[in-house]
Amino acid sequence: MTVMTETAHGPWSATTRFRHDGIATIGNVPLMEIVHRFGTPLYVIDETDVRLRARAYRAALPNAEIAYAAKAFLCRAMASWLSTEGLSLDVCSAGELAVARSVGFPAARIIFHGNAKTPLELHLAVEQRVGRIVVDSVDEIHRLAALVPAGQRQKVLIRVIPDIEAGESAAVRTGGENQKFGLSVATGGAGDAVSRVLRQPRLELVGLHCHLGSQITEVEPFERAARAMVEHLAGVWKTHGVALPQLDLGGGHGIAYRPGDSRLNIEAFADRVTHAVEERAAGLGLPVPRLIVEPGRAIAGTAGVTLYRVISVKKGLGHTYVAVDGGMSDNPRPALYGSRYQVRLIGRTSHEGDREVTVVGHHCEAGDVIAEDVPLPADIHPGDVVAVAATGAYHHSMASTYNLTCRPPVVAVGQGKARLVVRRESMEDLTRRDVGL
Ligand code: LLP
């Protein structure tokens, strides 16, 4: 018997399929099989999708450096997939550096950034010989220089505020003057940092960096930033006679969370931004810098899906609440940014029509909502399993143990098999950290 299959895409990973007999698969592995093996709640990550997106970036920007932003999602398996795909890695903490290095991610391809790197982080970054460190304050310049041993030079980028506002919500807009990241051109802070770094014999200034914000779906702000940053490179050239070879435009590439959502078109981004850099550099008589981009969400986001089991269905006056066995501890994004998701029933078919329900978590907070007013079959009941799309980026990495809940495992699907890559947190993990009385 042939079973009709619906190819998913949109917010779902490249190998996700919904069969008309109710079976949903990723990489040909039925999701219910994964649920039976590993329990719920659970994150599934599609290795094929990650690799396809990494390759799509390399194909669209063959001359640029693609540095995956580890903060979106990092585990050892992810680090090694990206390493074999030839990507670089943008890390922002000692922990991300440790995970990457534990699987031999080449240090030369690591970029370390952060607005307030601790002394330990700077020490580890230099000791591990990371390829570049992004200077984000004047304070850190002499601190960093003092850590570099004689005979060694640490390559650095300087993070500049491009003064361009873009991004989904105020919490993730980092390109304007009134936020904590980067050095201001307007106040002279950026220029001062450039002079100071150039005076440090153990530091080698290789370029400028900026990051506009997150979940940006239009190319235009990136084009504007590219032009503005080339102008800043030209300023360095004019003042110091140094043509810096690299231009890092950060990440922030938006994805679709629900069908019909717009996303950043990577090919259009590549064409227009490359053109903007070349054109502006030519206009200023400046050598064309090598572009670096730092996508996180656009590589990991749609590769991930969260699976929950329904615990209860409650009809309220205004809403029907479908409560599941996870919530804001594995997905704080609706509470933090008002993010919206697509939810699907998996594991069985339903002949009932859809009705609007609100999917909520099991935490002790009214704001613990996963998806408000989403369609699910009218006969949804306890024991059902639901899948939430596009949870590969900023879900596991932002998960907490709120209410002393154990963080879910991550199961990777690749080569037709599901395998555990991050185990579920146990009660023992929780009590072991609490050294007690
Ligand atoms: N580069 C830098 C310097 C960044 O600060 C970030 C994200 C990225 C790259 C990657 O951005 P992406 O391409 O993934 O948008 N927790 C928020 C997102 C915070 C992003 C912080 N920085 C969320 O869940 O939407």
Side-chain angles (χ1 to χ4, degrees):
M1 184 185 82
T2 26
V3 181
M4 296 291 287
T5 301
E6 189 188 321
T7 36
H9 303 315
W12 303 92
S13 81
T15 75
T16 304
R17 303 283 181 274
F18 294 107
R19 281 174 29 173
H20 289 186
D21 59 0
I23 295 180
T25 59
I26 288 185
N28 292 324
V29 180
L31 292 181
M32 287 308 285
E33 200 178 292
I34 299 179
V35 166
H36 292 137
R37 275 180 70 193
F38 302 102
T40 53
L42 149 100
Y43 302 110
V44 180
I45 184 118
D46 181 352
E47 177 182 343
T48 305
D49 195 71
V50 170
R51 289 186 184 274
L52 286 174
R53 287 179 197 277
R55 284 174 204 173
Y57 267 100
R58 294 201 65 191
L61 287 156
N63 300 318
E65 180 175 357
I66 316 298
Y68 169 70
K71 61 178 77 63
F73 168 64
L74 193 70
C75 65
R76 296 184 203 214
M78 183 76 175
S80 45
W81 302 338
L82 297 168
S83 173
T84 56
E85 292 301 331
L87 263 59
S88 294
L89 195 69
D90 146 29
V91 303
C92 69
S93 71
E96 290 177 358
L97 179 62
V99 168
R101 294 292 295 142
S102 76
V103 288
F105 198 101
R109 290 190 347 232
I110 295 180
I111 302 175
F112 199 123
H113 78 91
N115 72 303
K117 299 169 209 77
T118 64
L120 176 67
E121 286 174 330
L122 286 177
H123 165 78
L124 290 171
V126 171
E127 187 187 63
Q128 305 263 320
R129 297 195 172 222
V130 305
R132 280 139 297 170
I133 295 177
V134 184
V135 166
D136 201 315
S137 73
V138 167
D139 298 323
E140 95 183 333
I141 298 171
H142 64 272
R143 238 180 258 156
L144 175 59
L147 288 167
V148 182
Q152 207 171 300
R153 283 190 97 199
Q154 176 64 55
K155 290 191 167 77
V156 302
L157 300 163
I158 291 177
R159 179 157 175 174
V160 169
I161 299 176
D163 202 17
I164 291 166
E165 295 275 2
E168 184 186 36
S169 76
V172 298
R173 284 187 207 128
T174 54
E177 289 285 344
N178 289 315
Q179 49 77 42
K180 67 176 183 170
F181 294 101
L183 289 144
S184 166
V185 179
T187 65
D192 182 31
V194 168
S195 311
R196 285 172 191 255
V197 170
L198 290 173
R199 281 202 300 270
Q200 292 285 353
R202 292 186 192 179
L203 301 183
E204 181 186 349
L205 183 60
V206 293
L208 298 182
H209 175 287
C210 73
H211 173 72
L212 303 186
S214 251
Q215 188 54 14
I216 303 166
T217 53
E218 300 292 326
V219 177
E220 191 277 333
F222 292 107
E223 254 180 327
R224 248 189 306 145
R227 286 196 202 95
M229 292 297 287
V230 172
E231 280 160 24
H232 297 323
L233 287 171
V236 175
W237 192 40
K238 224 167 142 189
T239 315
H240 302 281
V242 191
L244 301 175
Q246 299 180 13
L247 172 56
D248 189 332
L249 288 181
H253 306 177
I255 64 164
Y257 280 90
R258 293 182 299 168
D261 279 359
S262 46
R263 61 172 184 92
L264 185 76
N265 179 326
I266 306 305
E267 288 72 31
F269 168 90
D271 283 355
R272 287 169 54 186
V273 168
T274 308
H275 183 249
V277 170
E278 287 171 357
E279 192 186 53
R280 202 70 203 99
L284 295 160
L286 187 77
V288 177
R290 185 175 187 214
L291 206 59
I292 305 169
V293 289
E294 302 175 345
R297 190 188 320 263
I299 287 180
T302 50
V305 76
T306 308
L307 305 179
Y308 300 105
R309 202 173 279 278
V310 174
I311 302 284
S312 72
V313 178
K314 195 188 282 180
K315 287 193 175 59
L317 256 189
H319 290 89
T320 295
Y321 295 102
V322 174
V324 299
D325 56 359
M328 67 194 302
S329 60
D330 60 75
N331 184 2
R333 301 189 70 260
L336 285 173
Y337 319 117
S339 310
R340 309 288 310 258
Y341 290 87
Q342 190 189 18
V343 185
R344 278 189 76 140
L345 170 69
I346 61 159
R348 69 172 178 94
T349 48
S350 169
H351 299 294
E352 302 269 331
D354 284 348
R355 67 167 171 202
E356 299 255 296
V357 298
T358 291
V359 179
V360 295
H362 68 149
H363 293 282
C364 297
E365 244 185 78
D368 174 28
V369 172
I370 290 169
E372 207 174 321
D373 298 333
V374 289
L376 276 174
D379 63 350
I380 186 121
H381 55 71
D384 275 340
V385 174
V386 293
V388 180
T391 60
Y394 304 108
H395 289 73
H396 179 266
S397 66
M398 291 177 78
S400 75
T401 56
Y402 182 43
N403 294 155
L404 289 181
T405 301
C406 298
R407 284 172 291 182
V410 182
V411 171
V413 178
Q415 293 91 42
K417 285 198 193 70
R419 65 185 200 286
L420 190 67
V421 291
V422 180
R423 72 162 169 80
R424 187 182 299 283
E425 198 158 30
S426 65
M427 304 285 183
E428 208 195 356
D429 291 328
L430 300 179
T431 48
R432 206 185 293 150
R433 274 188 74 236
D434 183 339
V435 294
L437 306 170

